[in-house]
C-alpha cells in the first residue's frame, strides 16, 4: 500500500490559515489523495480529495504538487472546532479502494 | 442522507466474555469496512466486505474475531473470547465507487473496554 508522511503535530492560532503538508512519493497514477479528519470521540470525517488538480470546497482547499508526490491541505481560517487529527491517505484501484490510516497530524488551535 | 449507524455506543465486558457490534451502512453502499482504533493510533482495517462477500480479512484475528454481512446490508463484528488488548474503538464505514474514486462515510464507533 502506498504510504504517506505527515508531521506528528502542528499548532495554529485561531482565524489564521493552516497549511498541513503530506508527502507521498510512491503514489501511483490511479491513486486519489484523500484527507479525513477525526474530532475527539468521533469517527473520521471526509474533508476533501483530489487526483491531479487543486481542489476547493466549503471546508478546505487541497493543493497538489505538479509531480503529485506531495500535497497540502489548507484551512483558510482555523477555528477551535478545527482541532482534530488530520489524515492524508492515498486510495484507489491500486489497493482495491482501502483507506489505510497512518498516524496523521494532530492540529492544535489556540484562541 | 442518513449516516452509518453503529450500536452499542459503549460496551464494558470482562476478559474472556464475548461481545458483538452492529453496523448499518448507508443505503446503496456496496462496500463495508470494520476498523479497530486503539487509543492514540490511527484506525486499523480489520475486514472489508463487497456486498456480502469478504474482500480482505488479512488483519482480522480469526481465532477470536468474526464478522458477517447478511444480505449485503447490515454487518456484525464479534469477539469471543475478549482479551484486555481488544479495548479499542470499533469503527464501521461504508463506501461507494465512482470513476476511480471511493467515497467513505464512517460511523461514530463503539468504544469497547475489556476489564
Amino acid at each position: 500500500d502506498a504510504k504517506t508522511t505527515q508531521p506528528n503535530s502542528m499548532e495554529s492560532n485561531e482565524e489564521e490559515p493552516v497549511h498541513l503538508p503530506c508527502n507521498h512519493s510512491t503514489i501511483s497514477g490511479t491513486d486519489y489523495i484523500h484527507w479525513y479528519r477525526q474530532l475527539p470521540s468521533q469517527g473520521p470525517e471526509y474533508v476533501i480529495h483530489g487526483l491531479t488538480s487543486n481542489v476547493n470546497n466549503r471546508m478546505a482547499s487541497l493543493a497538489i504538487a505538479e509531480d503529485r508526490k506531495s500535497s497540502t491541505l489548507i484551512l483558510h481560517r482555523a477555528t477551535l472546532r478545527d482541532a482534530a487529527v488530520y489524515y492524508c491517505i492515498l486510495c484507489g484501484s491500486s489497493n482495491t479502494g482501502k483507506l489505510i490510516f497512518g498516524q496523521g497530524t494532530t492540529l492544535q488551535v489556540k484562541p | 442522507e442518513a449516516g452509518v449507524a453503529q450500536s452499542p455506543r459503549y460496551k464494558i465486558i470482562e476478559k474472556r466474555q464475548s461481545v458483538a457490534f452492529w453496523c448499518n451502512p448507508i443505503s446503496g453502499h456496496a462496500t463495508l469496512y470494520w476498523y479497530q482504533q486503539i487509543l492514540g493510533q490511527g484506525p486499523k482495517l480489520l475486514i472489508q466486505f463487497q456486498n456480502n462477500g469478504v474482500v480482505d480479512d488479512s488483519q482480522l484475528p480469526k481465532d477470536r474475531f468474526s464478522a458477517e454481512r447478511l444480505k449485503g446490508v447490515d454487518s456484525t463484528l464479534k469477539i469471543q473470547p475478549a482479551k484486555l488488548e481488544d479495548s479499542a474503538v470499533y469503527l464501521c464505514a461504508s463506501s461507494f465507487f465512482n470513476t476511480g474514486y471511493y467515497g467513505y462515510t464512517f460511523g461514530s464507533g463503539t468504544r469497547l473496554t475489556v476489564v
Side-chain angles (χ1 to χ4, degrees), chain A residues 46-82:
Chain A
Y46 169 83
V47 177
I48 201 166
H49 77 279
L51 185 61
T52 56
S53 303
N54 295 342
V55 184
N56 299 299
N57 67 20
R58 64 175 181 82
M59 289 182 69
S61 295
L62 177 60
I64 301 173
E66 196 169 334
D67 63 5
R68 300 211 323 129
K69 293 185 177 181
S70 65
S71 61
T72 302
L73 178 70
I74 303 166
L75 307 179
H76 296 286
R77 291 183 69 222
T79 69
L80 297 179
R81 289 173 297 177
D82 291 322

Side-chain angles (χ1 to χ4, degrees), chain A residues 32 34 36 38 41 43-44 46 49 87 91-93 96-99 101-103, chain B residues 9 33 35 37 40-43 45 48 56 91 99-102 104 106-108:
Chain A
Y32 279 78
H34 293 236
Y36 282 76
Q38 189 171 23
S41 300
Y46 169 83
H49 77 279
Y87 296 98
C91 179
S93 55
T96 64
K98 290 191 285 286
L99 277 185
F101 289 80
Q103 288 294 104
Chain B
R9 191 77 173 90
Y33 312 79
Y35 287 81
Q37 186 170 25
Q41 300 181 16
L45 180 65
Q48 175 186 8
D56 184 354
L91 295 161
T99 58
Y101 169 69
Y102 295 83
Y104 275 68
F106 284 81
S108 297

